[in-house]
Each structure stands twice: as structure tokens, then as C-alpha cells.
Amino acid sequence: MSVALFLSVFLIAACGLIYELIAGTLASYLLGDSVFQFSTIIGCYLFAMGIGSYLSRFLRRGLVARFVSTELMVGLVGGFSSSLLFLAFAYTDAFRLVLYVVVILVGTLVGLEIPLLMRILKERFQFRELVSHVLTFDYLGALGASLLFPILLVPKLGLVRSALLFGILNAGVALWSTYLFRGQLGGGYGLRVGCLLVLGVLGGGMVFADRISSAADNSLYADEVIFSRDTRYQRIVLTKWKDDLRLFLSSHLQFSSRDEYRYHEALVHPGLAALPGARRVLVVGGGDGLAVREILKYPAVESVTLVDLDPEMTQLFSRHPVLSALNQHSLTAPRVHVINADAFRWLDSNADRFDFIVADFPDPTSYSLGKLFTTTFYRLAAKHLSSGGLLVVQSTSPLFARQSYWCIVETVKQAGLRTYPYHVYVPSFGEWGFVIGSLGPYEPPSQLPGGLRFLSARNVGEMFVFPVDMQPVEAEPNRLNNQILVRYYEQEWKDIAR
Amino acid sequence: MLGLARKTDRAVAGRFVHDSFPMGHRLRDRSPFAAPKRQVKIPIVIVGGGMAGLNAAWHLDKRGFRDFVLLEMEPEAGGNSRWGENEISRFPWAAHYVPVPAKGESLARELFEELGLFRDGKWDDRALCFAPQERLFIYGRWQEGIEPENATPQEIAQYRRFNDKMAEFRATGEFTIPMERGAKPSPLDGMSMSDWLERERFDSATLRWYVNYACRDDYGVLAKNTSAWAGIQYFASREPEEKGPLTWPEGNGWIARRLLEKLGRYVRTGSVVYRVRRDGARLHVLTEQAEYIAEAVIFAAPTFLAPYLIEGAPRADGFQYSPWLTANLTLDRMPREKGLDLAWDNVIYDSPTLGYVNATHMSLATHVERTVWTFYWSLAEHSPEDARRLLLSKDWNYWKEAILSDLERAHPDIRQCVARIDIMRLGHAMARPAPGFMFSENRERWTKPLGRIFFANSDLSGFSIFEEAQYRGVTAAKEALGVVGRS
């Protein structure tokens, strides 16, 4: 009996300390400055325990019932503390307020526990023994928790589950107390039902813990995150809402499965359908395999080489069932060769020639990506074109980033190619632009492969007509030594975001 | 085992490399050298394989003259354009760029055209420094360019006035590259650059920092110790037709490498010239390997060495040199930082050092995980003598700590990123254009030959830059060809 009693002291002490550690750790993670976070949180917590101890004097009757309900409240608030804090950080500006309210609430409730328990037990033990035992187990529990927390809990369970686990322990102690003190309690069915209810809620929290921790990520993206990984090169995030699958690379939307066919048909067919003799095709960037899917619609094409920097990206789109279904298993097709290399250096280090080259890189958001949109790059690409070959370039939006778009066109021109700019409407992107670069004259194709969902021979030509608000504007060509495009792009998207 | 020892950061490997002072001190002290093993008769001997010597050789070879040798005391030629290489990148040891030569700089253009840098009226886009070229760490973050932003309207007005002044100086035609083409004696040489700023009421702190930085970076001297004429030369002499500068992973080592590919057969490395004796029309150039009996000598080594090596040469009064420390840091991951992306030239505001140049900047790769930084420090706040003493008295660990502490201001986690720091100490790295030196008798007498010895080092121009070294080297080569009867 007495061992069981003191074991519950041990457990509630451990729980109390865990909540304090979780609050401190979370605040350090999210706000930085761990010295400040831990100092203020420990201070508030201990002070709140003092408030709890003081308040305990006003509880006079029904001590066991009060103790059990206190335990349940600690279990609920403490158990959900880290979920609450994560969500507060992701969705509100009031993280600090929520943090200190939670700390003070848990501290006050924990402060109530020991005085109540000592008063419950005072009939069973001598005062001398009681104080000695309760405090001994209290401090032992604190030691256990403080060792367990960094060694096992944070690395194995994470903050959300650790808090929930200890919430369950608190609720367990509450349930157990209804039996230990059943003599003093009398009846207590209502309390037991309450205990089971709290246990159920916390257990449910455990099951959905993953969703809670990714909900913070979700706030950035509109839909549910189904895949997220930091590779050596970028952050790959996939979201899904109903049948809409979206790919984000380092927070920039790459496609939406609902309308990507518009983008990829427009990227590939105006060029490739105009080259009935095309045998060898190169795709640089485009690790999602969606451009390759369109290219494989030409039986005459003998080989497609895809050069993408990130092996995790091409593997994901080769193996993931949903994604490889989306690109119709293009990356594992026998005609397709996937090479994971830096496109610029790869082109520079070999002499292969291609009938059609697709440059499908992310927008020039940084100086590193900007290199792939320079005169030097297009000149190099042109050297890899067979006679009569064509280059097509994904060229950002001629509507939202008009000067950036015409800067890319001008850059392709400066690299010694004839340019044929065109655009398409992709609902999830808006108006989107491309440019075909060629060594000789080019005519939009009059025939297209079968099975297209967007393009028809009749509307290909329309894409080359630019409405007034997307007409050419003056822009300098983008060179390695000015990277003017990165500046245009940053300025134009900044103006949109305002 | 219990971790009671002092807490240590990640261990950094490295050492001093290319130490040249032991040989320098032997020459200075006229220590005995072994007698030459053999005699070689050869019309022209070039002493020194830096840019001046290599360009002298380039000119001789180009004129079809092949009877010459180039003697270099170090195991590798290149001088201040030497370079290194590791598993990540090539990197420079000192000189790391050449501004795009203006139309009037015919010699530099001729060489660069030959090296394929200038074709069909266009400069090679792979050698023109990629953007972003420069950045400055100021107010806790990196900004683009090294002229401080966030200036007050008064400061901006001063910058504008300063630039206008420099344009005026440029328009006089007296500030040219090579300097000899336009330079006319000027009272500006009599005052220091900081006195001139004072006189012209340029009192903006950031403008003064900027001008001081330029003097430290180009000449290794503080503005208060730089001739105002030389200080202005830096800003007023250039009018590039294209945004540059020209640079390569190994800095000017690229030029040295390409020249050595053409001219390597003339070069004898490890040949320490310890005496040049004049004997009528003949010159005896003594090394431990051979005694060269020549009709003309092109002395392309630093001029201050001449009195120690050439019998009967006067003292080289007035020639002063800044000692430099350069370090190559191998980073196996990229440090965290705030503000603009890593640039080619990276400068920390108000640091005594000159910052660093990123060797992988000229890589076409879009993703770089490891790199080499070349860190520059001209120790300008000391006198050259004190700086040299400091350079030699402190151990590698001292300089390593000094370098990391400096970088830590802009990169708090730099100690977790650096795997290796190799340090080169140069006692006489660059000529110092001290006030009064540019138009002094002391300087000008050495631009004239001593009998059949033609001086060629860039220090004859008062400051050490590639174009001056090339001009002096080629000029000396032309004169030498004249006396051997092949002009």
C-alpha cells in the first residue's frame, strides 16, 4: 500500500518536471536564446507551484476527489501542452502568451498536488515519516524525468508524444487513486468515468501525434503535406487535397496535378512536334519526369536523357506509386536515361548532340539558379543542338514577371539563337511563359501526337500571340557577370506580394 | 575521458607554406653559396619568374628569340601569381584578378587575346567575374557591393562628389595603366591620401573607410601612408569597357599557368641567383647549378634585392614593401550567414584584414558544398619592419586564431566549417607607394638600366599590379633585345 502511494508521488513529480522541460525546450527551439527561455520558464513554473501550494489551503473537503480532478487537469493541459504550443506557433502571433499561460497553469496545478496528497496521507503516517518519504520520492521522480527526457524521450518520441505520454501517466495516477483511496472517496464512479474519458482523449492524441506535428508545416502549404524531405539540395514537399497533388521545391510550387498537363504539353509539344526527325532529346532540370512523359509520346524518339541535380527527386518520381503513376513511369522507361548531375557542368563536360533540349529549371530565385538562365548557358546548350535542333526554356510568367520573362527571351537571343516566345494559361500558376530558341527558322507544328488533353493543332499557334499586357518590354540580357535577371525577378515578385 | 580537459573546437589542420624568408635572409646576409658546377653561355638571362619575368620571356619568345633562360629561386615560378590546388578547387596564393583592360592597355589586351580571353570583340564570359562580385558585412549582415549602403544623404553626396573628382582626374589623362604612359610629376605625390581627403573635406566615415580599404587592398598601406597620387591612381586609372574583373579559381595563377605552358622550357626553378658580376660587356649570373655568361640580364626580381646580388649596384633607397599574410581555408561545409549570398570578394567592415575571395565562385555548378577561401591580410597598421617581425615571431596557431576570430564576426559557426588553414607569409609582398615615392629620383633611377642590366619588376612603377609587371617585363625585354643585336 505505502509503496504504491509513494510510487504515485514519484510519477506525478516526474510528470511535473517533464512539462517544464518540454516548455523550455520548445521555446528554445522556436524562439532561440535557450538561456533566457529556460530561466524564465523555470522561474514562472516554480512561482506558479507556489501559487498552487498557497491555494491548496482553500480546499477543505473532499480532498481525494479534488486530488483526482487536479491530476486529470494536469494530465490534459500538460499532455497537450506541446501540441498546443506548436500549433500556437504555426497559426498565431501569440506564442509567448500561450507559452506562459500554459506554464503558469500547469505549475499551479502541480503546486496543488503535493500539499493535497500530504493532507490525504497525514492520517496514515507520522508527520516526520510523511514529509521525508513524500519529498524523497518527489525529488527521485524529478531525477528520473530529467534523465529520461534528453536520453529517451526527445530522440525517440519527440516533444508532442512525450507530453501526451506523461499526460496519460497523470490520468493513470488519477484513476489509480480512485482505487487507492476508495475508503475516503466513497462511490466515485463519476470520477472514474472522467478518468477514462481523459485517458481516451490523450490516447487519441498519441495516435494522431504525427498529424499534429506536421500541422505546423501545413500552415505554410494550403493542403495536407503527404511527403516532406530535406535533401542535400532542396526541401521537397508534396501536398494533397482530394485529387490535387502539388509539388513544392524549397517552398516554390512546381506543379499541381490538376493542371500540370497544360504546362507540360505546352513545354514540350510546340517544339518537339515541329521536329519529326527528332531522335535524341535532352531534359535538364525537370526531375519530376512530367516533361519526359510528354516526350515519350513520340515513338520516333529513341533516347531521352534527363539530367537533374537531385537523386532523391528522381528516385521519388521513379518509385513513389502516386508520383510514378502521374508521370506514367516515364523515369523507368527503357528509352530514358536519368543522370544526377549539375546540368551546367554536365553540358560543359561532354559533346553529345540532341535534336531537342528542354530546360525546365525552377525560377531564378537565387544567383545559383540564375546561372542556368544566362547567355553562357544558352550558348553552351546551343552547341549541343544538332543542326535544325530546338531548345525550349521554361521562362517564368510574362504577366507577373514581365521584364524577367522578356529578359530570358533577350538572353536566348544574345546567345545567338532565333527566339520564338509563347505562353499558356495554367490555373495554379497563372499565365506562364516559354521560349523556343533555334539555329534556323521555326514554324509551329501543324500536327500533334494523339492523347493530348490541352493542345490541339488549332490552338498551338495562338500561344505565340501576346496580349497587350504581356507585350515585350526592354530588358538587358542576363549574363554571368550581371545576373540582372535575379534582380528583375526579385523586384517583380516583391511588387506582386505587396 | 571524463572531459575534464579544456573544451576544444574542431581540430583544424594546416601549416605555414612557401616560406621564402630563410633564403631571403641568406641573400641579405651574403651567406656563402656553393660555386657553380658549370658554365653556360647564353645571350639573355631573366632573373625572377613572377609576372614581370614571365612576360619578359613571353615577349622574347614572341619575337622569335629563344636563346635565354629564366631563373626562379622558388620551386615554382609565378611569384605573387602562384596558385595551389586541392581536392575541392584550385586557389590563388596572392594576386587574384585583373581588371578588364581598357582600350589603351594594348599589352594586356595582346596577351589576353593570345590566351583566348578576348575574341571577336568580346571578353570571355567564363572569366568575367560572376555576379555577385563583392559584398560587405556591415550592420550585422552582408550587403551587395563594398561601398556601404544605408548612408545618410550627406554621405551619398560625398560619394557622388568623390566619384566626380575621380572622373575629373581620369579626364586629365595623367592616370593611366601602365602609369608611365601618362604620369606627370604632381604635388599630389607629396601628400598622403588621407591628407588629400581632409583637404577636399571628405569626412564621411564610411567613405574614409572605403578609401582606406582600397589603399590597404591594392598597396598594403593605410591611406595615411599612401601617396595621394597613388591613391587617386587606383580610382582614376580604370575605365573598363565590360563589367569584370577577369578572374579564375586560381586567381592570376591562371595567367601564370598559361604562360608557363608556353614558356616552361626556358624556366629553371630552384635556381637561386646569388651574384651578378659585371665584366666588361659580359655579365656573369651565378647560381649553385651554373654560371651563366650573358650579354644582357633582365632583373625581374624585386628591386630591393638588386644591391645584394649585383656587384657595384647602388642602394635601393626609397623602395619599401608591405609584408602580407595570405591563408587558404578549406571549408568542408558552408557557414551560416545573413544577407546577400556568398560573393567572389567578401569584405568585413572595420576589420583590420581584407576579407576573403571564394575560389569556387567561378564554378559553373549551381550547388557548391565545399569550397576554399583565400584570406588576405596586409598588416598595414604596422610599419613594414614591425609587421615583418610580427609575421615571423608568431606561430601558426596564433595566426589561425586571428583569422578565425576575424571571420567569426560574420560567420559565427566558421570553426565548425573549416578543416584546414594553410598560411603563406610574404615579407616583401608589394611595393608601397609612400608619399613622395612616385616621382622621386630614387624610383626613377632604377627604371634606367645599369649597363646591360635591365630592371623589370612592377615595383619600378611604385605599386605591384599585374599590368605594371607586364609592362616593365616587356619593356626590359625590348631593351635587352636591342643590346644583343636582335631588336
Side-chain angles (χ1 to χ4, degrees):
Chain A
M1 174 70 183
S2 55
V3 174
L5 281 172
F6 293 119
L7 186 64
S8 57
V9 173
F10 177 88
L11 286 177
I12 60 176
C15 293
L17 193 73
I18 291 288
Y19 304 137
E20 185 182 346
L21 290 172
I22 282 172
T25 308
L26 236 160
S28 304
Y29 276 177
L30 299 175
L31 303 175
D33 197 356
S34 56
V35 173
F36 179 82
Q37 310 304 349
F38 271 100
S39 302
T40 53
I41 283 166
I42 292 173
C44 285
Y45 191 80
L46 290 177
F47 172 66
M49 279 176 72
I51 298 177
S53 304
Y54 174 75
L55 293 178
S56 70
R57 65 184 294 173
F58 300 110
L59 301 178
R60 288 165 205 260
R61 277 183 303 272
L63 289 181
V64 174
R66 296 268 155 86
F67 174 74
V68 169
S69 40
T70 305
E71 280 302 297
L72 290 179
M73 281 197 279
V74 174
L76 265 182
V77 180
F80 283 105
S81 60
S82 49
S83 316
L84 191 68
L85 290 171
F86 266 124
L87 295 175
F89 186 78
Y91 293 101
T92 72
D93 285 332
F95 175 74
R96 280 196 175 80
L97 179 70
V98 176
L99 172 70
Y100 289 104
V101 167
V102 166
V103 165
I104 287 174
L105 199 59
V106 174
T108 307
L109 290 168
V110 169
L112 279 170
E113 288 173 336
I114 297 293
L116 282 180
L117 195 64
M118 282 173 80
R119 279 163 62 193
I120 293 168
L121 297 177
K122 72 170 193 271
E123 309 300 325
R124 308 191 188 193
F125 301 93
Q126 281 195 333
F127 186 65
R128 180 168 57 88
E129 262 182 54
L130 181 64
V131 172
S132 153
H133 280 113
V134 167
L135 291 183
T136 302
F137 280 91
D138 185 31
Y139 292 127
L140 270 177
L143 176 68
S146 61
L147 292 178
L148 217 54
F149 185 71
I151 297 170
L152 262 183
L153 297 176
V154 176
K156 297 279 181 230
L157 279 183
L159 293 174
V160 171
R161 285 179 189 209
S162 298
L164 287 165
L165 177 70
F166 279 77
I168 288 172
L169 284 180
N170 269 128
V173 168
L175 185 61
W176 191 10
S177 304
T178 61
Y179 291 99
L180 279 176
F181 305 117
R182 55 186 174 275
Q184 280 155 278
L185 193 61
Y189 291 108
L191 274 178
R192 277 181 204 150
V193 171
C195 289
L196 291 174
L197 217 62
V198 171
L199 277 170
V201 170
L202 288 164
M206 267 315 239
V207 173
F208 295 106
D210 279 341
R211 297 234 179 135
I212 293 171
S213 47
S214 69
D217 247 349
N218 278 340
S219 72
L220 247 179
Y221 310 100
D223 305 329
E224 193 185 334
V225 173
I226 60 164
F227 175 91
S228 147
R229 178 173 293 162
D230 284 306
T231 75
R232 269 166 74 180
Y233 308 102
Q234 57 201 343
R235 182 168 172 78
I236 304 178
V237 171
L238 275 167
T239 67
K240 190 170 182 182
W241 188 75
K242 295 194 177 165
D243 61 342
D244 184 8
L245 193 66
R246 290 176 177 228
L247 171 71
F248 295 82
L249 295 181
S250 306
S251 309
H252 294 278
L253 177 64
Q254 303 300 305
F255 70 73
S256 153
S257 63
R258 283 193 166 180
D259 56 22
E260 58 78 18
Y261 65 92
R262 279 181 158 246
Y263 175 95
H264 290 102
E265 286 183 10
L267 174 68
V268 169
H269 301 300
L272 192 49
L275 296 168
R279 299 284 173 271
R280 292 163 53 80
V281 177
L282 172 69
V283 179
V284 280
D288 53 30
L290 296 169
V292 177
R293 177 193 67 201
E294 297 303 315
I295 294 163
L296 292 177
K297 291 179 179 165
Y298 296 78
V301 169
E302 287 163 5
S303 90
V304 185
T305 306
L306 173 84
V307 181
D308 190 282
L309 183 60
D310 194 347
E312 294 201 52
M313 176 80 183
T314 49
Q315 273 163 26
L316 180 68
F317 278 84
S318 306
R319 292 180 192 159
H320 193 285
V322 178
L323 300 174
S324 59
L326 187 64
N327 64 31
Q328 293 170 9
H329 309 280
S330 64
L331 296 184
T332 45
R335 283 188 281 166
V336 177
H337 314 281
V338 176
I339 295 170
N340 292 117
D342 200 296
F344 212 145
R345 293 183 73 168
W346 185 83
L347 279 174
D348 198 36
S349 63
N350 77 62
D352 293 356
R353 281 175 185 269
F354 301 91
D355 304 308
F356 186 51
I357 299 180
V358 179
D360 190 15
F361 297 117
D363 277 2
T365 49
S366 68
Y367 286 106
S368 324
L369 285 169
K371 287 182 188 175
L372 301 168
F373 294 82
T374 54
T375 48
T376 313
F377 183 82
Y378 298 134
R379 255 201 295 278
L380 182 62
K383 278 193 195 166
H384 288 264
L385 282 181
S386 58
S387 68
L390 296 176
L391 162 74
V392 65
V393 179
Q394 158 331 77
S395 317
T396 194
S397 171
L399 184 63
F400 306 129
R402 189 167 164 188
Q403 199 175 20
S404 305
Y405 175 78
W406 291 105
C407 165
I408 296 171
V409 176
E410 180 62 24
T411 308
V412 175
K413 192 180 286 173
Q414 287 286 327
L417 294 165
R418 299 189 195 196
T419 53
Y420 301 89
Y422 63 99
H423 66 102
V424 66
Y425 180 69
V426 183
S428 58
F429 284 9
E431 278 296 337
W432 213 255
F434 305 91
V435 56
I436 285 177
S438 74
L439 295 163
Y442 159 86
E443 279 287 331
S446 50
Q447 268 205 314
L448 292 170
L452 301 191
R453 295 169 66 193
F454 167 63
L455 275 186
S456 69
R458 209 173 318 144
N459 68 11
V460 172
E462 291 164 13
M463 295 196 295
F464 291 81
V465 180
F466 282 80
V468 179
D469 60 356
M470 296 192 273
Q471 286 286 317
V473 286
E474 191 107 335
E476 271 186 66
N478 187 43
R479 302 179 194 279
L480 279 172
N481 70 334
N482 67 12
Q483 292 247 24
I484 193 83
L485 175 62
V486 176
R487 290 159 220 239
Y488 287 153
Y489 188 84
E490 196 181 87
Q491 190 55 49
E492 286 177 314
W493 285 103
K494 206 192 275 169
D495 291 346
I496 300 273
R498 205 173 41 204
Chain B
M1 198 177 79
L2 290 170
L4 293 176
R6 188 173 148 263
K7 192 175 169 222
T8 48
D9 281 303
R10 182 185 163 175
V12 178
R15 60 190 177 91
F16 287 128
V17 294
H18 300 311
D19 266 342
S20 60
F21 59 86
M23 183 55 72
H25 293 175
R26 275 183 75 189
L27 293 171
R28 177 192 66 191
D29 303 336
R30 299 204 164 82
S31 306
F33 283 82
K37 294 191 187 69
R38 59 200 173 96
Q39 281 196 332
V40 179
K41 272 187 128 168
I42 191 149
I44 297 179
V45 171
I46 302 172
V47 179
M51 269 305 154
L54 287 173
N55 274 286
W58 171 67
H59 182 77
L60 294 180
D61 181 73
K62 208 170 169 176
R63 298 288 294 273
F65 188 84
R66 310 230 141 79
D67 289 338
F68 71 95
V69 288
L70 185 157
L71 306 176
E72 166 58 49
M73 74 172 196
E74 299 290 339
E76 288 142 28
N80 274 353
S81 300
R82 274 174 293 171
W83 73 99
E85 183 167 8
N86 64 15
E87 68 284 3
I88 299 171
S89 175
R90 290 191 178 124
F91 49 81
W93 270 118
H96 52 280
Y97 71 97
V98 179
V100 176
K103 292 229 163 60
E105 296 176 42
S106 48
L107 262 186
R109 288 172 86 100
E110 185 186 334
L111 174 66
F112 289 159
E113 207 164 338
E114 202 180 302
L115 298 182
L117 291 173
F118 188 66
R119 268 193 202 134
D120 312 325
K122 280 202 185 107
W123 290 95
D124 179 7
D125 49 8
R126 294 181 182 208
L128 291 170
C129 186
F130 300 171
Q133 280 86 357
E134 295 167 322
R135 62 174 187 170
L136 176 68
F137 186 78
I138 183 168
Y139 312 129
R141 65 197 320 278
W142 290 99
Q143 63 148 66
E144 181 153 19
I146 55 172
E147 283 185 32
E149 286 167 4
N150 300 324
T152 62
Q154 290 95 318
E155 285 192 305
I156 292 168
Q158 285 204 14
Y159 274 77
R160 198 165 303 138
R161 189 158 63 85
F162 181 82
N163 288 330
D164 290 347
K165 272 270 177 215
M166 294 303 137
E168 280 170 34
F169 282 122
R170 196 174 302 130
T172 63
E174 291 181 28
F175 298 90
T176 54
I177 291 176
M179 55 80 77
E180 212 169 62
R181 223 179 55 205
K184 289 201 185 73
S186 157
L188 286 169
D189 187 37
M191 68 175 84
S192 74
M193 190 64 187
S194 42
D195 286 345
W196 181 82
L197 288 175
E198 195 89 32
R199 196 187 76 182
E200 300 291 326
R201 297 183 208 289
F202 288 113
D203 55 8
S204 146
T206 53
L207 176 65
R208 281 170 168 250
W209 172 85
Y210 178 57
V211 173
N212 196 38
Y213 177 82
C215 291
R216 292 191 294 130
D217 190 39
D218 258 44
Y219 308 138
V221 200
L222 300 180
K224 67 174 186 191
N225 300 323
T226 305
S227 149
W229 191 92
I232 291 164
Q233 162 82 5
Y234 171 82
F235 293 99
S237 61
R238 307 198 186 275
E239 207 171 11
E241 58 185 347
E242 175 63 275
K243 189 171 183 188
L246 295 163
T247 188
W248 305 266
E250 66 270 51
N252 293 7
W254 185 88
I255 305 172
R257 205 157 57 78
R258 295 295 306 277
L259 283 173
L260 284 167
E261 280 167 17
K262 288 174 190 280
L263 307 164
R265 63 202 152 113
Y266 303 111
V267 177
R268 310 283 177 270
T269 53
S271 295
V272 181
V273 173
Y274 63 84
R275 185 69 74 245
V276 180
R277 188 175 294 143
R278 288 187 286 175
D279 168 20
R282 287 201 173 191
L283 293 158
H284 299 260
V285 180
L286 277 62
T287 70
E288 292 194 331
Q289 291 86 347
E291 174 178 356
Y292 297 91
I293 301 167
E295 295 164 41
V297 166
I298 296 170
F299 194 89
T303 305
F304 79 94
L305 285 171
Y308 297 100
L309 305 188
I310 301 170
E311 267 183 16
R315 290 164 35 155
D317 287 328
F319 282 84
Q320 288 183 40
Y321 300 82
S322 303
W324 280 64
L325 174 146
T326 61
N328 271 298
L329 286 75
T330 307
L331 280 76
D332 51 18
R333 68 184 182 79
M334 307 305 275
R336 279 185 288 120
E337 49 187 30
K338 281 187 192 153
L340 188 82
D341 294 353
L342 186 59
W344 169 67
D345 189 14
N346 304 272
V347 177
I348 299 173
Y349 187 74
D350 251 353
S351 157
T353 76
L354 296 164
Y356 59 89
V357 166
N358 177 30
T360 57
H361 186 78
M362 297 302 285
S363 156
L364 296 176
T366 46
H367 184 84
V368 172
E369 288 175 334
R370 303 190 298 162
T371 192
V372 177
W373 286 357
T374 310
F375 182 92
Y376 294 87
W377 195 347
S378 58
L379 303 171
E381 52 288 342
H382 306 277
S383 73
E385 295 73 26
D386 288 347
R388 274 192 278 277
R389 253 192 300 278
L390 186 70
L391 206 50
L392 292 190
S393 65
K394 301 294 187 186
D395 63 3
W396 175 83
N397 223 41
Y398 172 90
W399 294 112
K400 176 204 79 175
E401 279 303 312
I403 293 165
L404 289 175
S405 312
D406 186 56
L407 290 174
E408 232 165 5
R409 295 208 259 161
H411 307 286
D413 62 340
I414 189 71
R415 287 172 194 269
Q416 271 69 59
C417 306
V418 174
R420 189 175 178 90
I421 302 183
D422 286 321
I423 298 174
M424 180 160 95
R425 298 176 288 179
L426 281 167
H428 299 76
M430 289 168 85
R432 287 166 74 99
F437 180 62
M438 294 306 300
F439 297 104
S440 66
E441 180 57 27
N442 281 336
R443 184 185 70 80
E444 274 167 33
R445 74 188 289 179
W446 289 94
T447 62
K448 298 176 183 75
L450 199 65
R452 291 173 153 234
I453 304 175
F454 302 92
F455 296 94
N457 195 274
S458 61
D459 59 17
L460 300 178
S461 298
F463 46 89
S464 306
I465 63 171
F466 165 82
E467 300 92 320
E468 297 295 343
Q470 193 202 15
Y471 170 74
R472 297 287 168 185
V474 169
T475 305
K478 282 181 187 162
E479 291 172 337
L481 281 177
V483 300
V484 300
R486 306 287 184 87
S487 64

